[in-house]
Amino acid sequence: AICAKTNNEHLNKLVELASQTIEKCVITIDQIYVDGLKKEGKFTKELQEEAFDTCKCMILNTLSEDTKNAVITMCGDLDSWIRVNIESYVRLHSSQKN
């Protein structure tokens, strides 16, 4: 999930855009889905997985093919990269709320 460094500014910008997209999707899912379930005490492991899958789907539907290809070129496996970044942004966002 670690991206290789490149001198290709276009690829760098696309991967940065993908990272920003992941962060925005995590925040959106947290605000419209997770927060309410947590307040009601209904946020189970199953619903956590559902929130993750919904977020991942949102990300994949938002990213252009060029952006996906840039991530694959620079970072390897797209799915693994997305998973690691979702988890990272979830932790970051959760710690900022507390």
Side-chain angles (χ1 to χ4, degrees):
I2 302 295
C3 293
K5 295 190 182 212
T6 179
N7 292 328
N8 186 323
E9 197 58 39
H10 180 68
L11 287 179
N12 291 337
K13 286 181 182 179
L14 290 174
V15 171
E16 178 61 28
L17 176 65
S19 182
Q20 291 169 1
T21 299
I22 292 173
E23 182 177 20
K24 289 175 183 173
C25 289
V26 165
I27 291 168
T28 299
I29 293 297
D30 192 47
Q31 289 176 342
I32 65 173
Y33 185 73
V34 174
D35 282 350
L37 290 170
K38 284 183 176 179
K39 285 179 186 171
E40 296 172 11
K42 297 180 180 178
F43 194 60
T44 63
K45 180 70 174 165
E46 291 79 20
L47 291 176
Q48 181 181 6
E49 290 173 13
E50 185 178 310
F52 177 89
D53 291 341
T54 301
C55 188
K56 183 178 175 186
C57 186
M58 183 186 297
I59 291 161
L60 289 171
N61 288 330
T62 302
L63 297 178
S64 70
E65 288 304 312
D66 283 348
T67 303
K68 291 175 188 175
N69 289 330
V71 170
I72 291 167
T73 298
M74 290 181 58
C75 309
D77 182 61
L78 180 64
D79 286 338
S80 295
W81 186 82
I82 289 173
R83 173 174 290 284
V84 166
N85 278 279
I86 289 173
E87 291 172 359
S88 175
Y89 283 119
V90 165
R91 278 189 219 100
L92 177 65
H93 185 62
S94 294
S95 68
Q96 289 175 348
K97 289 187 339 185
N98 294 333

